[in-house]
Amino acid sequence: LLQQESGLHGSPRRPTAAPYSGLPNVSPSSEESVRSQGWADFEKGLTEEPKPQGVQEEELLGMISKFAKPSQKGQTLQPQLATCINYLTTHQLQEQVMTDTTGRYLAPENCVSLNVPTVNTHIWGNISPSIRAQEIKMQKILKLLTAGITAFARSIDGTDMTEEQQDALALFCNVQFEINCFRKSTIHAPQFAGLCKTSSTPPPNLLFGDNLPKQVKDLDEEAKAVG
């Protein structure tokens, strides 16, 4: 084995060459070249300074980027359409424009679920003014949505919808469902707390159903049975 010896100043001294191994097809000169290269690598390791912190961070970020989740972007829209959508989603329509537009798309006679249900009278009288104001805003937003669903439904052939049209219709309708559920959850009426927590589909006309007393009675009986 080769042994390393330290000089007077602590620097390593190159060891004396060991006898050649006598491996087949390896000339003495080739073997000496390999040994010299190994010693050069060893000396380089002793004198090489550590990389600066910035370089290490760059290498780390480079490694992390290989495993980072790519940003999700969809297919490019037509430039004119993209410009129109970007504008409409960042600018509010004038009040009269919204009124006129929604007035052209009333809920179809055979699709009453696109009506905006109002809050039951008994519950409306037991909520605070601030919640009433919030509820009025939610009804206004929902009216815009239902008019949009109606307009979209009129623009497609229900017997031959593309996959994208089916997806759009399903998503729009689910937004309406979620908004109605959210409306119920934000109405804090202690007497009807059980109903406000339910996420069932609301009826077409009243947010909490047509037979409110019966629903309250059923919830009270259920609570007593559980207790």
Side-chain angles (χ1 to χ4, degrees):
L1 297 177
L2 299 180
Q3 296 181 342
Q4 298 176 11
E5 298 179 0
S6 298
L8 295 178
H9 300 286
S11 59
R13 181 185 302 167
R14 183 171 181 176
T16 56
Y20 294 119
S21 59
L23 294 174
N25 300 323
V26 178
S27 65
S29 59
S30 297
E31 191 169 346
E32 175 62 24
S33 175
V34 171
R35 290 177 177 177
S36 299
Q37 182 62 40
W39 176 254
D41 293 340
F42 174 73
E43 289 182 321
K44 181 180 179 182
L46 293 177
T47 58
E48 187 175 14
E49 296 181 355
K51 296 181 180 179
Q53 183 67 23
V55 175
Q56 295 178 357
E57 291 179 355
E58 290 180 2
E59 292 180 350
L60 179 60
L61 291 175
M63 181 189 71
I64 294 176
S65 65
K66 297 180 181 179
F67 304 98
K69 185 177 180 180
S71 58
Q72 300 294 328
K73 295 183 180 179
Q75 184 178 355
T76 302
L77 297 176
Q78 295 178 350
Q80 297 87 343
L81 180 59
T83 300
C84 180
I85 293 175
N86 289 333
Y87 179 84
L88 291 174
T89 53
T90 55
H91 294 76
Q92 185 180 26
L93 296 177
Q94 295 181 0
E95 193 71 28
Q96 190 59 46
V97 173
M98 288 190 289
T99 301
D100 294 342
T101 305
T102 55
R104 293 197 296 268
Y105 302 104
L106 302 177
E109 183 179 358
N110 61 341
C111 196
V112 292
S113 63
L114 288 179
N115 288 316
V116 179
T118 58
V119 179
N120 302 59
T121 304
H122 291 85
I123 296 180
W124 186 259
N126 286 275
I127 58 179
S128 65
S130 60
I131 296 180
R132 289 183 185 179
Q134 176 180 280
E135 172 58 24
I136 291 174
K137 291 181 181 179
M138 294 300 297
Q139 290 183 26
K140 180 180 178 181
I141 294 173
L142 195 57
K143 187 174 183 180
L144 294 173
L145 175 63
T146 55
I149 295 175
T150 302
F152 177 74
R154 289 182 181 178
S155 68
I156 59 177
D157 182 0
T159 62
D160 188 24
M161 289 191 293
T162 65
E163 184 176 358
E164 290 179 332
Q165 290 172 338
Q166 295 176 32
D167 291 344
L169 186 60
L171 292 173
F172 291 152
C173 292
N174 190 70
V175 171
Q176 181 192 5
F177 175 83
E178 294 290 346
I179 289 178
N180 281 323
C181 291
F182 179 76
R183 291 172 62 196
K184 295 171 72 174
S185 68
T186 56
I187 295 177
H188 303 289
Q191 300 91 329
F192 308 98
L195 292 176
C196 293
K197 294 180 180 179
T198 59
S199 59
S200 58
T201 306
N205 298 319
L206 297 174
L207 186 62
F208 292 91
D210 297 324
N211 196 348
L212 185 61
K214 183 178 184 303
Q215 293 186 69
V216 174
K217 182 180 178 180
D218 292 343
L219 286 173
D220 289 341
E221 292 179 353
E222 182 180 346
K224 291 178 181 178
V226 173

